[in-house]
Amino acid sequence: MKLKPINNVIYYVPVDQKYFDKWEYYQVDLKMLKDAHNNVFIAKTLKEFIKIIFSKKIDLVYYWWWHSSVVVVLISRLINIPTIGTGAVHMYDESGAPDFFKKSFLFRITNKICWKASTKVLFISNSQSRQITSHAQVNNHLVLKSSSIHTKKELFENLADKAPSSKIKLLTVCWMTKDQLIRKSIDKILKAISMMPKNKLDQISLHIIGGSGDGIEYLKKLIIDLDLSDLVHLEYDVTDDRKKELYKYSDLYLQPSYYEGFGNSVLEAMTYGTPCVVSCNTAQPEVVKDSGYVINQISSKDIFDAIFDYSCKTFEQKIEMIDDVKKVVIKHHSYDDRLDQYTNLVIGDAK
């Protein structure tokens, strides 16, 4: 289906308002749609979507999460309105969490229907594109990577006064369910810190922040067992201002995950000039590129090596790492680039 000139867009995001407001990638796409089109109508439920689509002259439906949007796609197709859908799917997950093929038949079939029936399918990373298209038929797909919500100018301002701390402040962000803690290798991060020599350990602190979940007691036990209670600080359900403060004043962001569709927390940390330690799995190297540390094996030893290497750097070498992060973020992950790619690659055939 060829896209016609697009003025009125429904932005369908079937999530609770608190997540819509809090998770940056929803807000990035909202900003993008508002900048690209005249009118954007937000729907977070099927009822809201139906009310809008049959009361307004809609030119396009842009939606998140294929498995939650199959009815939206089918209704739109029936009344000849084009759809653009995005999301993320764990086609495989070495952490042991349920991957695409272990999920329910309903989950798998709704994803597949949307991949075939949508006018365009947008993948948030090259990794997602390779994984999904090698296992399923996807029509008219493009890669439109996630980005910061900040423009190049705003990124320059955010990054202007970043400097290393006198002590090494480590940070990781994780929804504190047990499966997420395992997927993001929090156990291995803690073990890596416990391996640090005494003279280095005294100079380290770790903040773990994120939404409350069923893994909090599991996490607390890990910390106690490794005798890290004085070094590790847990904060639950922090405000956006607090999260930004920690991103800004941390020295290393740790997220050596088994799986990431993109790695939005890594990008958020980088937008404040913070170098990251990530694994080579899935999309994370696409985000970090030649800044930070990309470890080849998800092991406490490899994570330890990265932290120890950073601890041995001079002040000037740490500044060089911060500069490398700045260059990558501004060159590859600014909002300006995402908006340009959307208008040129995604809706360019409407012009």
Coordinates of all heavy atoms in Angstrom, one line a residue, residues 228-258:
L228 N 28.9 -7.2 50.3 CA 29.0 -5.9 49.6 C 27.9 -4.9 50.1 O 27.7 -3.8 49.4 CB 28.7 -6.1 48.1 CG 29.8 -7.0 47.3 CD1 29.3 -7.2 45.9 CD2 31.1 -6.3 47.4
S229 N 27.4 -5.1 51.2 CA 26.3 -4.2 51.7 C 26.7 -2.8 51.9 O 25.9 -1.9 51.7 CB 25.8 -4.7 53.1 OG 25.3 -6.1 52.9
D230 N 28.0 -2.5 52.2 CA 28.4 -1.1 52.3 C 28.7 -0.4 51.0 O 28.8 0.8 51.0 CB 29.7 -1.1 53.2 CG 29.5 -1.5 54.6 OD1 28.3 -1.4 55.1 OD2 30.4 -2.0 55.3
L231 N 28.8 -1.2 49.9 CA 29.2 -0.7 48.6 C 28.1 -0.6 47.7 O 28.1 0.2 46.7 CB 30.3 -1.5 48.0 CG 31.6 -1.8 48.8 CD1 32.5 -2.6 48.1 CD2 32.2 -0.4 49.2
V232 N 27.0 -1.4 47.9 CA 25.9 -1.4 46.9 C 24.7 -0.8 47.5 O 24.3 -1.0 48.6 CB 25.6 -2.9 46.5 CG1 24.4 -2.9 45.5 CG2 26.8 -3.6 46.0
H233 N 24.1 0.1 46.7 CA 23.0 0.9 47.1 C 21.8 0.6 46.2 O 21.9 0.8 45.0 CB 23.3 2.4 47.1 CG 24.6 2.7 47.8 ND1 24.7 2.8 49.2 CD2 25.8 3.0 47.3 CE1 25.9 3.1 49.5 NE2 26.6 3.2 48.4
L234 N 20.7 0.2 46.7 CA 19.5 -0.1 46.0 C 18.5 1.0 46.1 O 18.2 1.5 47.2 CB 18.8 -1.4 46.5 CG 19.7 -2.7 46.5 CD1 18.9 -3.8 47.0 CD2 20.3 -2.9 45.2
E235 N 17.9 1.4 45.0 CA 16.9 2.4 45.0 C 15.8 2.0 44.0 O 16.0 1.6 42.9 CB 17.4 3.8 44.5 CG 18.4 4.4 45.4 CD 18.8 5.8 45.1 OE1 17.9 6.6 44.6 OE2 20.0 6.2 45.3
Y236 N 14.5 2.0 44.6 CA 13.4 1.4 43.8 C 12.5 2.6 43.3 O 12.3 3.6 44.0 CB 12.5 0.5 44.6 CG 13.3 -0.5 45.5 CD1 13.1 -0.5 46.9 CD2 14.3 -1.3 44.9 CE1 13.9 -1.4 47.7 CE2 15.0 -2.2 45.7 CZ 14.8 -2.2 47.1 OH 15.5 -3.1 47.9
D237 N 12.0 2.4 42.1 CA 11.0 3.4 41.6 C 11.4 4.8 41.7 O 10.7 5.7 42.2 CB 9.6 3.1 42.3 CG 9.2 1.7 42.2 OD1 9.3 1.1 41.1 OD2 8.7 1.2 43.2
V238 N 12.6 5.1 41.3 CA 13.2 6.5 41.4 C 12.5 7.4 40.4 O 11.9 7.0 39.4 CB 14.7 6.5 41.1 CG1 15.4 5.6 42.2 CG2 15.0 6.0 39.7
T239 N 12.6 8.7 40.7 CA 12.0 9.7 39.8 C 12.9 9.9 38.6 O 14.1 9.5 38.7 CB 11.9 11.1 40.6 OG1 13.2 11.5 40.9 CG2 11.1 10.9 41.8
D240 N 12.4 10.5 37.6 CA 13.2 10.7 36.4 C 14.4 11.6 36.7 O 15.5 11.4 36.2 CB 12.4 11.4 35.3 CG 11.5 10.4 34.6 OD1 11.7 9.1 34.8 OD2 10.6 10.8 33.9
D241 N 14.2 12.6 37.6 CA 15.3 13.5 38.0 C 16.4 12.8 38.7 O 17.6 13.1 38.5 CB 14.7 14.7 38.9 CG 13.9 15.7 38.1 OD1 14.0 15.7 36.9 OD2 13.2 16.5 38.7
R242 N 16.0 11.9 39.6 CA 17.0 11.1 40.3 C 17.8 10.2 39.3 O 19.0 10.1 39.4 CB 16.4 10.2 41.4 CG 17.3 9.3 42.1 CD 18.4 10.1 42.8 NE 19.3 9.2 43.6 CZ 20.5 9.4 44.0 NH1 21.1 10.6 43.6 NH2 21.2 8.6 44.7
K243 N 17.1 9.6 38.4 CA 17.8 8.7 37.4 C 18.7 9.5 36.6 O 19.9 9.1 36.4 CB 16.7 8.0 36.5 CG 17.3 7.1 35.5 CD 16.3 6.2 34.8 CE 15.5 7.0 33.9 NZ 14.6 6.2 33.0
K244 N 18.3 10.7 36.1 CA 19.2 11.5 35.3 C 20.4 12.0 36.1 O 21.6 12.0 35.6 CB 18.5 12.7 34.8 CG 17.4 12.4 33.8 CD 16.5 13.6 33.4 CE 15.5 13.2 32.4 NZ 14.6 14.4 32.1
E245 N 20.2 12.3 37.4 CA 21.3 12.6 38.3 C 22.4 11.5 38.4 O 23.6 11.7 38.3 CB 20.8 13.0 39.7 CG 21.9 13.4 40.7 CD 21.3 13.6 42.1 OE1 20.3 13.0 42.4 OE2 22.0 14.3 42.8
L246 N 21.9 10.3 38.5 CA 22.8 9.1 38.6 C 23.5 8.9 37.3 O 24.7 8.6 37.3 CB 22.0 7.9 39.1 CG 21.6 7.9 40.6 CD1 20.6 6.8 40.8 CD2 22.8 7.8 41.5
Y247 N 22.8 9.0 36.2 CA 23.4 8.9 34.9 C 24.6 9.9 34.8 O 25.7 9.6 34.3 CB 22.5 9.1 33.8 CG 21.6 8.0 33.4 CD1 20.2 8.2 33.0 CD2 22.0 6.6 33.3 CE1 19.4 7.1 32.7 CE2 21.2 5.6 33.0 CZ 19.9 5.8 32.7 OH 19.1 4.8 32.3
K248 N 24.3 11.1 35.2 CA 25.3 12.2 34.9 C 26.5 12.0 35.8 O 27.6 12.3 35.3 CB 24.6 13.5 35.2 CG 25.5 14.7 35.0 CD 24.7 16.0 35.2 CE 25.6 17.2 34.9 NZ 24.8 18.5 35.0
Y249 N 26.3 11.6 37.0 CA 27.5 11.6 38.0 C 28.1 10.2 38.1 O 29.0 10.0 39.0 CB 27.0 12.2 39.3 CG 26.7 13.7 39.2 CD1 25.4 14.1 39.3 CD2 27.7 14.6 39.0 CE1 25.1 15.5 39.1 CE2 27.4 15.9 38.8 CZ 26.1 16.4 38.9 OH 25.9 17.7 38.8
S250 N 27.7 9.2 37.4 CA 28.3 7.9 37.4 C 29.5 7.9 36.5 O 29.5 8.6 35.5 CB 27.3 6.8 37.0 OG 26.3 6.7 38.0
D251 N 30.4 7.0 36.8 CA 31.6 6.9 35.9 C 31.5 5.8 34.9 O 32.0 5.9 33.8 CB 32.8 6.6 36.8 CG 33.1 7.8 37.7 OD1 33.6 8.8 37.2 OD2 32.9 7.7 38.9
L252 N 30.8 4.7 35.3 CA 30.6 3.5 34.4 C 29.2 3.0 34.5 O 28.7 2.9 35.7 CB 31.6 2.4 34.7 CG 33.0 2.4 34.1 CD1 33.7 1.1 34.6 CD2 33.0 2.5 32.6
Y253 N 28.5 2.8 33.4 CA 27.2 2.2 33.4 C 27.4 0.7 33.0 O 28.0 0.4 32.0 CB 26.3 2.9 32.5 CG 24.9 2.2 32.5 CD1 24.0 2.5 33.5 CD2 24.5 1.3 31.5 CE1 22.8 1.8 33.6 CE2 23.3 0.7 31.5 CZ 22.4 1.0 32.6 OH 21.2 0.4 32.6
L254 N 26.8 -0.2 33.8 CA 27.0 -1.6 33.6 C 25.8 -2.3 33.1 O 24.7 -2.3 33.8 CB 27.5 -2.3 34.9 CG 28.6 -1.6 35.7 CD1 28.9 -2.3 37.0 CD2 29.9 -1.6 34.8
Q255 N 25.8 -2.9 31.9 CA 24.7 -3.7 31.4 C 25.1 -4.8 30.5 O 24.8 -4.8 29.3 CB 23.7 -2.7 30.8 CG 22.3 -3.4 30.4 CD 21.3 -2.4 30.1 OE1 20.8 -1.6 30.9 NE2 20.8 -2.4 28.8
P256 N 25.9 -5.7 31.0 CA 26.3 -6.9 30.2 C 25.2 -7.9 30.0 O 25.3 -9.0 30.5 CB 27.5 -7.4 30.9 CG 27.2 -7.1 32.4 CD 26.4 -5.8 32.4
S257 N 24.2 -7.6 29.3 CA 23.0 -8.4 29.2 C 23.1 -9.6 28.3 O 23.9 -9.5 27.3 CB 21.8 -7.5 28.7 OG 21.6 -6.4 29.6
Y258 N 22.3 -10.6 28.6 CA 22.2 -11.7 27.6 C 21.4 -11.3 26.4 O 21.6 -11.9 25.3 CB 21.6 -12.9 28.3 CG 22.5 -13.6 29.3 CD1 22.5 -13.3 30.6 CD2 23.3 -14.6 28.9 CE1 23.3 -13.9 31.5 CE2 24.2 -15.3 29.8 CZ 24.1 -14.9 31.1 OH 25.0 -15.6 32.0

